[in-house]
């Protein structure tokens, strides 16, 4: 026990001399001062310079004595049941013993071809193995138990002293770890280990790398931190899902999972990974390659988990309703590209960085693929049953509301289509070309559907309704910005043309009945001709009003415009006709027997047109 105490005392003295001495000469002076105070601190016992003598046997003896001394010290620490780092003096002595063993091995390595020296160096290797096994345990213990609190600070400023970090923050239990809380501010850094623990880990790291055990050190470090990251991702609600698992999900379930993924990806790339990068750089300070490798091993699993999910979304179904969530994933990946570039900037992480870029581009391909599927949906929509009353077709509502919603992400869609291989026209972007093409497909589809109506007038009402709806949806949003004012004017003119076509097909023949050719009929036959025309007019007017009152014009303004137009066309002609009929002598005296409607009655019937049935108005 006394011998162990003396060895411990000598180790502390050597550590003090080594720490205070800025150079070899100063360290020797400090050792000399120690020797004058106590015989146990003799220069021979304290000296670390065990150089081989000119006599080979004397050198071997000196080497063996040094190894015996170090073996005694290292064996005591290796066999200890207590954590070495629970006592600062023990940890300092253990590190010093390792330093001495490393230095001793290096000093004698040039003579390894000599058999006695080779045997001693082999023994030194065995001692180093034992020391490394034990220091690895200590490293693991510090990693696992050093994170007693999780202080959160604003993003680390290199101009600040690391010692300014407050190590006295209140401890959090498992349910209070900040990474599990909803976040709106990502300008955070998580210090999972205290500065003191980080310093201890750094001292161990230096010894393990100096002894050639860098891979073991990196393995222990990355294993511990990887578990922390995986737990953090789990607390954020992110499940470990394979691509097949994602593809088997119901859409509602996948939507919820995408929302969780977006939050997890933002926290991981903006908080967790930068925090791990900082911690790794501090623990492996001075060993950039080891730091880069360790960081990659820490973050690789969580990064692949995030990227695999995004990839599963990208290569999944191209159903049109998925567009908006796919856009959410695309935008998240796009916005995090800066973080991918900065956090994964080293040589070991280049694969992760490149994979992130590849998946981001694949998500853009998925968005373009969804628009292609929308085109196919429009083409395949059958022209079977006619919409009652010539009203809005469901495909018109669906496509226009879909495009309006999509154009809320116009800037993102512009980016997606500009990254395709298409060539934009001189005055249009690729997104404009895409939207114009979809509108053309929709209009062509509606033209085919209009042919289902047996009455040409009703087909024009159908085209009028759907055309008006399309123009309104375009004009009132981002879609109008894309397609432009010229497009809107042209399609307004097209709707007007449908109105004129409706009037010609339904009312022009009726207006023709109210016209007379005096020269042709003569005065004697005028009364008879007018009676026949009035009778035919009444019959046609009744039929048209009965049918057209069940038709629907959904837009109130267009409905009033159409009624007004018909009234201006019909009322003057009808008023002149019956006025002339009433002035035809004897026949005019009995005109009320033939005149079924007054002018006011005609106007009232016209104002009842296009109200539609309850079915047609839906």
């Amino acid at each position: 026990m006394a011998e162990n105490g003396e060895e411990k005392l000598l180790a502390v003295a050597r550590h003090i001399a080594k720490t205070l001495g800025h150079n070899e000469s100063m360290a020797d002076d400090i050792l000399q001062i120690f020797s004058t105070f106590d015989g146990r601190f003799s220069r021979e016992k304290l000296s670390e310079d065990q150089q081989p003598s000119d006599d080979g046997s004397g050198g071997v003896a000196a080497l063996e004595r040094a190894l015996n001394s170090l073996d005694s010290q290292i064996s005591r620490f290796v066999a200890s049941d207590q954590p070495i780092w629970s006592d600062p003096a023990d940890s300092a002595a253990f590190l010093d013993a390792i330093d001495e063993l490393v230095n001793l091995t290096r000093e004698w390595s040039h003579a390894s071809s000599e058999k006695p020296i080779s045997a001693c160096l082999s023994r030194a290797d065995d001692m180093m193995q034992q020391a490394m096994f034990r220091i690895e345990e200590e490293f693991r213990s510090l990693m696992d138990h050093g994170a007693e609190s999780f202080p959160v600070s604003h993003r680390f400023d290199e101009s600040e002293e690391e010692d300014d970090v407050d190590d006295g923050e209140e401890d959090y239990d498992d349910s209070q770890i900040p990474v599990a809380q909803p976040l709106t501010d990502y300008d955070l850094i998580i210090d999972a280990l205290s500065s003191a623990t980080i310093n201890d880990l750094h001292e161990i790291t230096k010894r393990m790398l100096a002894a050639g055990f860098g891979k073991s050190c990196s393995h222990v470090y990355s294993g511990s931190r990887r578990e922390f990251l995986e737990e953090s991702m789990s607390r954020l609600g992110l499940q470990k899902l394979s691509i097949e698992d994602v593809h088997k999900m119901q859409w509602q379930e996948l939507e919820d999972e995408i929302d969780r993924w977006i939050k997890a990806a933002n926290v991981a790339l903006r908080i967790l990974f930068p925090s791990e990068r900082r911690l790794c750089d501090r623990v492996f300070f001075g060993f950039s390659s080891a730091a880069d490798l360790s960081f990659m091993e820490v973050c690789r699993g969580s990064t692949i988990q995030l990227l695999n999910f995004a990839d599963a979304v990208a290569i999944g179904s191209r159903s049109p309703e998925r567009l908006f969530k796919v856009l959410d994933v695309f935008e998240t990946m796009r916005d995090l590209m800066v973080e991918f570039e900065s956090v994964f900037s080293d040589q070991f992480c280049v694969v992760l960085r490149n994979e992130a870029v590849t998946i981001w581009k694949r998500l853009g391909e998925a968005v373009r693929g969804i628009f292609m599927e929308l085109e196919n949906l429009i083409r395949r929509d059958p022209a079977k049953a006619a919409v009652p009353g010539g009203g809005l077709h469901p495909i018109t509502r669906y496509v226009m509301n879909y495009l309006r919603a999509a154009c809320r992400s116009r800037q993102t869609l512009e980016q997606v289509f500009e990254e395709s291989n298409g060539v934009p026209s001189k005055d249009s972007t690729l997104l404009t070309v895409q939207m114009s093409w979809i509108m053309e497909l929709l209009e062509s589809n509606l033209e085919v559907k209009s042919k289902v109506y047996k009455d040409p007038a009703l087909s024009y009402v159908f085209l009028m309704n759907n055309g008006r709806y399309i123009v309104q949806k375009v004009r009132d949003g981002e879609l109008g910005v894309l397609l432009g004012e010229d497009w809107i004017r042209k399609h307004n003119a097209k709707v007007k043309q449908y109105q004129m076509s409706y009037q010609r097909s339904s009312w022009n023949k009726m207006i023709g009945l109210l016209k007379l050719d005096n020269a042709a009929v003569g005065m004697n036959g005028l009364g008879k001709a007018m009676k026949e025309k009035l009778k035919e007019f009444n019959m046609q007017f009744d039929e048209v009003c009965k049918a057209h009152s069940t038709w629907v014009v959904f837009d109130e303004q267009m409905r009033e415009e159409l009624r007004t137009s018909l009234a201006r066309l019909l009322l003057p002609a009808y008023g002149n006709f019956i006025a002339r009929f009433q002035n035809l002598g004897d026949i005019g005296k009995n005109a009320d027997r033939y005149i079924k409607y007054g002018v006011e009655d005609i106007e009232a019937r016209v104002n009842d047109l296009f109200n539609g049935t309850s079915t047609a108005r839906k």
Side-chain angles (χ1 to χ4, degrees), residues 14-79:
R14 277 194 296 270
H15 179 71
I16 293 172
K18 181 178 178 181
T19 303
L20 297 179
H22 295 293
N23 54 50
E24 186 175 348
S25 178
M26 290 182 65
D28 287 342
D29 291 342
I30 293 170
L31 292 174
Q32 184 63 42
I33 293 170
F34 281 160
S35 67
T36 61
F37 283 98
D38 193 318
R40 290 174 297 176
F41 298 145
S42 66
R43 186 68 182 83
E44 291 75 14
K45 289 184 178 181
L46 290 173
S47 176
E48 293 183 2
D49 299 323
Q50 301 287 342
Q51 298 291 344
S53 64
D54 295 335
D55 183 354
S57 59
V60 173
L63 177 56
E64 289 179 341
R65 285 196 300 273
L67 288 176
N68 289 336
S69 176
L70 289 173
D71 193 10
S72 176
Q73 297 175 54
I74 291 173
S75 296
R76 179 171 61 85
F77 288 119
V78 168

Side-chain angles (χ1 to χ4, degrees), residues 38 50 78 113 198 215 219 228 246 256 261 264 275 288 309 344 353 359 376 381 406 441 465 498 543 570 573 597:
D38 193 318
Q50 301 287 342
V78 168
S113 59
I198 292 171
K215 288 186 177 180
H219 178 73
F228 172 83
V246 174
D256 295 338
W261 178 89
S275 297
S288 59
F309 182 85
F344 299 126
R353 187 170 68 247
I359 291 173
N376 293 331
D381 192 64
L441 284 175
N465 275 316
Y498 291 145
E543 290 177 356
L570 191 60
Y597 300 107

Side-chain angles (χ1 to χ4, degrees), residues 149-207:
S149 62
F150 297 83
V152 178
S153 59
H154 284 285
R155 188 165 297 280
F156 183 70
D157 186 346
E158 292 181 357
S159 64
E160 296 178 1
E161 291 294 328
E162 291 185 7
D163 292 337
D164 288 342
V165 178
D166 182 9
D167 293 329
E169 285 193 42
E170 181 182 354
D171 289 351
Y172 295 85
D173 60 30
D174 286 347
S175 64
Q176 294 174 315
I177 295 177
V179 295
Q181 304 303 317
L183 292 168
T184 56
D185 177 15
Y186 293 105
D187 190 25
L188 303 170
I189 282 291
I190 297 173
D191 289 322
L193 301 174
S194 68
S195 292
T197 300
I198 292 171
N199 290 336
D200 287 338
L201 291 171
H202 176 59
E203 292 300 320
I204 294 175
T205 298
K206 288 195 296 185
R207 272 65 179 193

